[in-house]
Amino acid sequence: MTGTEGQSQGQSQVQGSQGPAHKRDMTRRRLLVAGGGAVAAAAVGGTVLATAQAGEKTASGGEAGEVCYRLTSETTEGPYYIDADKIRKDITEDREGIPLTLRLKVIDSDTCKPLRNAAVDIWHCDALGIYSGYESLSTGGGGTPPTGEPPTDAPSGTPSDAPSDAPSGAPTGQPPGGGGGGGHEEPTDDERYLRGTQLTDKHGFVEFTTVFPGWYRGRCVHIHTKVHVGGKMTDAGYEGGHTCHTGQFFFDEKSVLAAAEVAPYSTSTTERTTLEQDTIYDQSGVTGGLLKLKYRKGKIAKGVVGSLTMGVDPDETHDGTDAAVQPSASAASSS
């Protein structure tokens, strides 16, 4: 369940070939027609309620409730994924930060039925942009801002032996932890805070206890996730099966700005990338992984509850290493 990361991201697409994938495609088309019928029914006295979860719709007053036709956006895996062997709800360990309860539901985007016993991984940086397992590579920043005074032991003079073969032109890549570029990195330490896996219950739910993530150079505030199906629990963790979804969860700007006023986030000296500037988020709202956040106004330090329903295709494989995945494909998949 490891892989490389690229800059592109997007939406999983239903295969058009004959067989099970073709049947799922036809089923999704029928659901689209059913959605249109529900809207027509509303015009003659029925009711249609739109949810804020993963592009699904709920028709009340009829038979079966939900009509699903959108998949949650696929993204790149990122350089800091580690095969999770910690099956746990609380992933905080000793990390400081605003308490965050993350409530997730996983459904089959074709049938709307919850996926039971799917393994959901999440991992993210701490309040100052540091990833466990990669503390020496992470580019977070914090503490007292620099004063501008040079160090007392700084070398003086101009070097006379400057290399004659210095590279020219703009760099073609980004360092690990930057804007999302670069391949998978091997862990550099044994820390595993802010990482964990849980199995969904019969209703497709998992809940994690963690902290509100911070930020690092080149990326907005986010949480990584993977959904695995078809495997089984062993003494070493979740083994076998395949990864049907690789994505990221995002935080609205208002909430991030509120969190940035609270220590230790307020000590960060790293320039922040906004949600609109981020190169991974596809700007599609909840379909793109934008969390629904709840907290008391003016008291975000007391804690935040984030929730999202993920629509996935359990028959597909999306391990976050597919360079062919393109941004904004989520809009195309719902047409």
Side-chain angles (χ1 to χ4, degrees):
M1 294 192 293
T2 59
T4 58
E5 176 184 28
Q7 278 287 5
S8 59
Q9 80 162 78
Q11 179 69 29
S12 58
Q13 300 178 352
V14 180
Q15 297 177 353
S17 59
Q18 298 296 322
H22 176 67
K23 292 180 180 178
R24 294 181 64 87
D25 184 51
M26 294 302 296
T27 301
R28 180 169 286 106
R29 291 179 184 176
R30 287 198 292 271
L31 285 169
L32 276 168
V33 173
V39 173
V44 293
T47 304
V48 174
L49 302 177
T51 71
Q53 302 292 347
E56 63 199 84
K57 293 183 178 179
T58 303
S60 64
E63 296 182 350
E66 295 173 316
V67 178
C68 303
Y69 51 88
R70 282 190 183 180
L71 301 172
T72 300
S73 298
E74 301 293 333
T75 72
T76 52
E77 176 186 273
Y80 299 147
Y81 177 62
I82 300 174
D83 286 351
D85 59 0
K86 291 185 177 295
I87 306 300
R88 57 182 182 174
K89 175 180 179 179
D90 190 339
I91 64 174
T92 308
E93 295 191 16
D94 61 348
R95 295 294 99 177
E96 296 182 355
I98 297 169
L100 172 65
T101 299
L102 187 62
R103 296 173 179 167
L104 306 171
K105 182 179 182 181
V106 184
I107 62 173
D108 184 321
S109 63
D110 190 38
T111 66
C112 265
K113 293 181 179 180
L115 288 185
R116 183 177 185 176
N117 290 328
V120 179
D121 290 343
I122 68 167
W123 70 101
H124 62 86
C125 68
D126 69 7
L128 295 178
I130 304 299
Y131 278 90
S132 65
Y134 301 90
E135 291 185 339
S136 64
L137 296 180
S138 300
T139 57
T144 305
T147 61
E149 295 295 329
T152 56
D153 59 348
S156 58
T158 303
S160 57
D161 58 346
S164 58
D165 59 346
S168 60
T172 58
Q174 296 182 6
H184 174 77
E185 297 287 340
E186 290 301 314
T188 60
D189 58 70
D190 294 329
E191 298 290 344
R192 294 296 183 269
Y193 52 80
L194 306 182
R195 297 178 180 273
T197 304
Q198 282 199 82
L199 297 182
T200 55
D201 63 17
K202 64 181 180 180
H203 302 294
F205 284 104
V206 293
E207 181 177 292
F208 290 93
T209 299
T210 183
V211 297
F212 200 102
W215 58 90
Y216 52 93
R217 182 164 55 89
R219 289 302 317 278
C220 67
V221 176
H222 64 283
I223 293 175
H224 292 268
T225 188
K226 281 180 179 284
V227 178
H228 314 281
V229 294
K232 63 180 180 179
M233 290 301 304
T234 69
D235 292 339
Y238 189 82
E239 301 288 341
H242 67 279
T243 304
C244 68
H245 174 68
T246 299
Q248 296 180 27
F249 305 128
F250 299 94
F251 295 73
D252 64 83
E253 280 294 299
K254 181 179 178 181
S255 300
V256 172
L257 289 172
E261 297 296 320
V262 179
Y265 308 89
S266 58
T267 69
S268 175
T269 59
T270 301
E271 182 179 359
R272 190 175 65 82
T273 297
T274 67
L275 193 64
E276 289 186 353
Q277 294 170 334
D278 192 74
T279 58
I280 303 298
Y281 176 56
D282 66 6
Q283 312 297 323
S284 65
V286 291
T287 303
L290 186 64
L291 291 168
K292 180 179 180 181
L293 302 177
K294 292 183 178 180
Y295 54 90
R296 293 179 60 186
K297 185 177 181 180
K299 298 185 181 296
I300 194 171
K302 297 293 184 180
V304 179
V305 175
S307 60
L308 188 75
T309 296
M310 290 185 282
V312 304
D313 186 341
D315 295 336
E316 293 285 340
T317 296
H318 295 286
D319 59 8
T321 64
D322 185 3
V325 174
Q326 296 296 324
S328 301
S330 57
S333 69
S334 62
S335 61

